[in-house]
Amino acid sequence: MNKEELQILEVCKRFNLTGEYRSYEVLNSGHINTTYQVFFFRDGEIKDYIIQRVNTYVFKNPVEVMENIALVTEYIRAKIKATGVTAKRNVLHYSKTENGDYYAILEDGGFWRCCRYIDDSVSFTQTDDLKIIEESGKAFGKFQVHLSDFPVKQLHIVIPHFHNTVNRYELLDTACRENLAGRLAEVQDVVAGYKELEELATKPYRLQRAGVLPLRVTHNDTKTSNVLFDADTYEYLSVIDLDTVMPGLVAFDFGDAIRVAASTVDEDEKDLSKVAIDLQKYEAFTRGFVSQLGEMLTEDEEKTLALGAVAMTAECGVRFLTDYLNGDKYFRIHYPEQNLDRAKCHLALTRDMVKHLDEMQKIVDKYFE
Ligand code: GN1
Ligand code: MG
């Protein structure tokens, strides 16, 4: 057994996972935490779990992250059960240690958590299947609805200013000034491109500060890979990755999902001529999302959903660029220029969204009628 596997076994022990350990796999899609699927054999079948080492550079207070997750998952579970059905496959279930904690801290300081793998589920980083995209829209719409009466004040702010687009632009300015990795000269045009978008990209955040848009409980990381689907029917089961559940704007949950689900390419596409918003995908997601919301949103919220996509795509790109300038400290990269590729791709995608913004908002309006 290698060191990694021994550590994984130690984590499983702390969460009292029973049965005979079989194997583990590394799951590689996230940029922040380290994630494994572990397989046990018990009662004649394979039982699998997801264990994660939480990135404490990003999440400075991981205990608070787990408190938020416990609150939110219990709340959703109760809502689902109240409709008379089992919540087993429709919300995450985190395991506790012997001390009753939702986390275990190992000797090396590593902060770990464990949840049951949802049976017969699949996820996608990207898909062209409109039916699946619509289902992912439903999943995030439903999440909004489930938490629409959750007492927002109970949630810890686990990453301050997470979707504060104004602040994200300020951090980019700081990164340019400091030029820590000596990379500024090669990215001047990318920085300038983002600067041109600043006013539009920061508008939803400024509208919230002005009291026009309300804060709700939001997921804040609504990429496609954060939804699980039934492996046979491809109907949505649950949203996952609840690390960043915090007060936020519904336009941000909608917009961050569009950034990924309605893009023609992966996050780090190098061939910028391929990068565009796919309006069919956009419409499929919108249809699913809006179908769940009923009368929940204010008119101002409805009218700024499409703008949320511009804001979130630009903001995410600004974050990639800032990290590139700072020497790749935040997002996991798989090759040296990846953060720059991500930033360039997001710039091209935001520009294409701006071109189609009216059309995008009209599609939203159509489904609210
Ligand atoms: C990070 O690790 P992952 O993939 O869940 C990031 C999101 C970004 C996303 C970009 C805590 O999410 O905000 O949108 O990468 N999460 C955090 O793919 O910063
Ligand atoms: Mg995440």
Side-chain angles (χ1 to χ4, degrees), residues 29-33 52 58-59 159 162-163 168 219-223 225-226 241 243-244 256 259-260 267 312 315-316 319-320 330-332 342 346:
S29 78
H31 299 343
I32 307 289
N33 299 318
Q52 275 187 313
V58 169
F59 295 104
I159 303 182
F162 190 59
H163 282 321
R168 293 294 184 182
H219 181 283
N220 294 310
D221 188 6
T222 51
K223 53 207 252 184
S225 57
N226 283 337
D241 186 4
D243 289 339
T244 49
D256 199 35
R259 169 181 78 82
V260 179
E267 237 177 30
M312 284 300 95
E315 182 191 282
C316 196
R319 294 173 61 198
F320 288 138
Y330 188 97
F331 295 105
R332 181 180 299 128
R342 290 167 175 158
H346 278 59

Side-chain angles (χ1 to χ4, degrees), residues 179 182-189 325:
N179 193 16
R183 292 166 165 176
L184 181 61
E186 53 164 313
V187 302
Q188 288 285 15
D189 54 332
L325 285 164

